Amino acid sequence: MWGGRFAASPDETMKAINASIDVDQRMWREDIAGSKAHAAMLTAQGILTQEDGAAIQRGLDEIAAEIAAGAFPFSIDLEDIHLNIEARLTERIGEAGKRLHTGRSRNDQVATDFRLWVRRSLTEADEALLGLMRILVLQADAHADWIMPGFTHLQTAQPVTLGHHLLAYVEMFARDRDRLQATFAHADACPLGSAALAGTPYPIDRQATATALGFSRPMANSLDGVASRDFAMEALNSLAIGAVHLSRLAEEIVLWTSSHFRFARLSDGWSTGSSIMPQKRNPDAAELIRAKAARIAANAQSLMMIVKALPLTYAKDLQDDKALTFEAFDAFLLSVGAMAGMMSTIQFDRGNLRQAATFGYSTATDLADWLVTHLNMPFREAHHVTGAVVKAAEAHGVAELCDLPLSVFQAIEPRITAAVIPLLSVEASVAARASYGGTAPERVRENVARLRDELGLKA
Ligand code: ARG
């Protein structure tokens, strides 16, 4: 393709380091779409004859069918997807194929293909997250008033509702979707026509190719067009944040399903067995989601380091952007799919969740709040009195504050009345937390109703 200037062919190792066809053949649809839009524009502008333009369109359609059928002869000698398709076109239609590359370069071609691929994949990731959010909202609805321990420092802190816990992830994933959509908007400009770097002397119509490829506009600066990869950096960093969120839920699944917590059980379809210990049910998918988050975040870093300090415009370093990006999207989609599968079939154990919520005097704050509200005690003092009550409960071997005799309370603070005792159950504790955004079942149900509406789930 570029042999005119050379007498000898490349060294084998040179070919091996230079070729990207193994990776970038995945962009064949985008490459053909880009070439068809470019050729149609060249024809409309009178840069190509109608006859050549028609031959190119036909040839590219045939090549698309050939690739789709798995019959395309990919060759490492032709480096990348762009040269493979162009060479095949000339093989098929002759002379006209050699005119396709008029007024463009592989530099704007690859930038265009890659943007198209990333844009499509952003939409796929966005839709996958929407699916997962719907599952979590349905589970939150079904478990709106199930009581579980809320943790800080992984120590029992206060009782919360399972519905509230699940909806926390829905909020995170909603922001992850916002980030993916914002990245889509930033990627929504077309580099095609930037040519090698400086633009082209041919009377091309960049608005036409941008529109034909579904971009809202052409990129305004040709140097930026071929050199910039921030759309991919932003995509991977957005995926990395989403993957980190998935990894937190994955970690909770690992904890919840362990024989020490016994909060939940994964379905058979989402559990694995041990080859030696017949009793084991392992949460492998959740563990792998944790691992994928590491790889996605690392790929985001790698891509940033590839672009870091790269002078304008294109340099071959940028060829390595694609493997990182493809791998990150694959890992993300797999993770979301596995999380959706686990979360739609997981069985929670209401009794174990509730029992664990009572551990560690989890309603102590409710006693302190009562002292503030009913005795007008300053909160810091109420905190101190409550601490003394917890200490007394421990000394009496009583596991829950609501089971402690009134006399023990009154020995510490004589103004405490029997009215406080029923408020110290885990049910009363969650019901009391009805502030906006709080864990009370009524607040959870309001959020479920709002989210059902926003996510298109029928009530
Ligand atoms: N395979 C190359 C890449 O992915 C295409 C662009 C090559 N451009 C060049 N001037 N060698 O980056």
Side-chain angles (χ1 to χ4, degrees):
M1 277 290 168
W2 36 257
R5 191 194 186 294
F6 296 86
S9 44
D11 186 275
E12 283 305 312
T13 305
M14 174 63 207
K15 266 200 243 169
I17 194 173
N18 203 33
S20 57
I21 186 63
D22 284 354
V23 172
D24 62 26
Q25 59 176 270
R26 217 172 140 166
M27 300 195 302
W28 66 268
R29 282 187 189 80
E30 289 76 14
D31 197 68
I32 285 177
S35 288
K36 284 176 66 94
H38 181 66
M41 178 278 292
L42 292 177
T43 311
Q45 295 296 101
I47 301 166
L48 287 184
T49 64
Q50 293 290 337
E51 203 188 356
D52 285 347
I56 290 172
Q57 296 296 336
R58 192 177 3 95
L60 288 170
D61 287 338
E62 286 167 10
I63 289 171
E66 198 173 35
I67 300 176
F72 187 92
F74 287 109
S75 161
I76 186 178
D77 292 328
L78 290 162
E79 265 186 58
D80 57 24
I81 187 64
H82 323 296
L83 295 183
N84 267 269
I85 289 178
E86 194 190 325
R88 186 73 177 147
L89 182 66
T90 300
E91 243 170 62
R92 285 179 156 275
I93 68 167
E95 179 80 9
K98 298 186 187 171
R99 298 187 188 276
L100 170 60
H101 214 49
T102 312
R104 76 169 184 190
S105 148
R106 274 190 294 158
N107 296 348
D108 59 337
Q109 194 179 350
V110 72
T112 304
D113 293 2
F114 193 29
R115 272 182 186 250
L116 287 170
W117 192 93
V118 167
R119 276 178 13 143
R120 183 167 52 75
S121 302
L122 283 168
T123 302
E124 240 181 280
D126 182 41
E127 283 166 3
L129 279 178
L130 170 61
L132 174 59
M133 287 168 67
R134 286 178 171 152
I135 287 165
L136 291 172
V137 168
L138 293 176
Q139 290 287 28
D141 198 7
H143 303 93
D145 59 359
W146 285 35
I147 294 172
M148 68 178 287
F151 298 99
T152 61
H153 315 268
L154 199 56
Q155 306 287 323
T156 306
Q158 290 174 347
V160 295
T161 47
L162 178 54
H164 195 53
H165 192 111
L166 296 174
L167 289 187
Y169 284 101
V170 172
E171 296 295 323
M172 291 176 235
F173 294 137
R175 291 192 296 275
D176 293 334
R177 292 188 64 205
D178 283 349
R179 272 181 281 273
L180 296 177
Q181 289 164 16
T183 306
F184 186 102
H186 296 153
D188 190 21
C190 186
L192 193 61
S194 298
L197 74 166
T200 170
Y202 300 99
I204 60 170
D205 180 349
R206 293 200 49 209
Q207 187 63 56
T209 44
T211 305
L213 292 170
F215 288 103
S216 69
R217 59 195 181 277
M219 289 178 77
N221 183 303
S222 63
L223 305 175
D224 181 41
V226 298
S228 293
R229 293 293 183 272
D230 50 295
F231 65 96
M233 291 192 275
E234 188 178 332
L236 294 208
N237 280 292
S238 303
L239 291 185
I241 295 174
V244 165
H245 289 155
L246 287 167
S247 79
R248 296 183 78 168
L249 182 51
E251 171 66 6
E252 304 213 274
I253 291 174
V254 171
L255 291 171
W256 293 347
T257 58
S258 83
S259 52
H260 305 280
F261 278 73
R262 297 182 303 127
F263 288 1
R265 184 180 165 95
L266 286 172
S267 65
D268 285 358
W270 290 99
S271 303
T272 50
S274 156
S275 56
I276 173 166
M277 297 164 284
Q279 83 284 9
K280 291 291 290 291
R281 291 174 73 82
N282 293 331
D284 289 28
E287 296 164 271
L288 286 162
I289 288 170
R290 293 190 305 209
K292 300 289 180 219
R295 297 177 65 147
I296 294 166
N299 285 15
Q301 277 299 307
S302 296
L303 181 57
M304 303 237 284
M305 291 306 101
I306 284 175
V307 180
K308 177 186 172 294
L310 207 64
L312 297 186
T313 51
Y314 178 85
K316 202 63 175 264
D317 313 42
L318 291 177
Q319 175 164 280
D320 271 353
D321 55 3
K322 285 174 284 300
L324 294 169
T325 304
F326 296 165
E327 188 198 38
F329 273 100
D330 288 346
F332 189 81
L333 288 172
L334 213 45
S335 299
V336 177
M339 185 57 82
M342 285 189 288
M343 290 310 299
S344 58
T345 54
I346 196 168
Q347 292 288 334
F348 291 102
D349 187 314
R350 188 168 199 165
N352 288 345
L353 283 162
R354 189 200 174 281
Q355 189 189 27
T358 66
F359 293 165
Y361 305 106
S362 63
T363 60
T365 317
D366 294 85
L367 173 58
D369 291 336
W370 188 90
L371 297 171
V372 168
T373 312
H374 292 86
L375 304 184
N376 195 29
M377 200 180 271
F379 183 80
R380 198 41 67 205
E381 196 181 320
H383 184 282
H384 188 79
V385 170
T386 304
V389 171
V390 167
K391 204 169 156 202
E394 260 172 356
H396 284 75
V398 170
E400 285 191 62
L401 294 183
C402 56
D403 294 333
L404 196 64
L406 183 61
S407 57
V408 180
F409 288 94
Q410 288 177 336
I412 293 160
E413 169 50 65
R415 290 178 295 165
I416 293 178
T417 70
V420 75
I421 307 255
L423 301 179
L424 302 180
S425 72
V426 290
E427 283 77 12
S429 177
V430 297
R433 284 175 173 67
S435 53
Y436 180 85
T439 195
E442 53 173 317
R443 292 288 94 87
V444 173
R445 291 195 175 102
E446 282 167 10
N447 272 318
V448 164
R450 169 183 62 84
L451 286 160
R452 273 183 179 276
D453 201 44
E454 285 175 16
L455 305 180
L457 284 169
K458 292 273 160 291

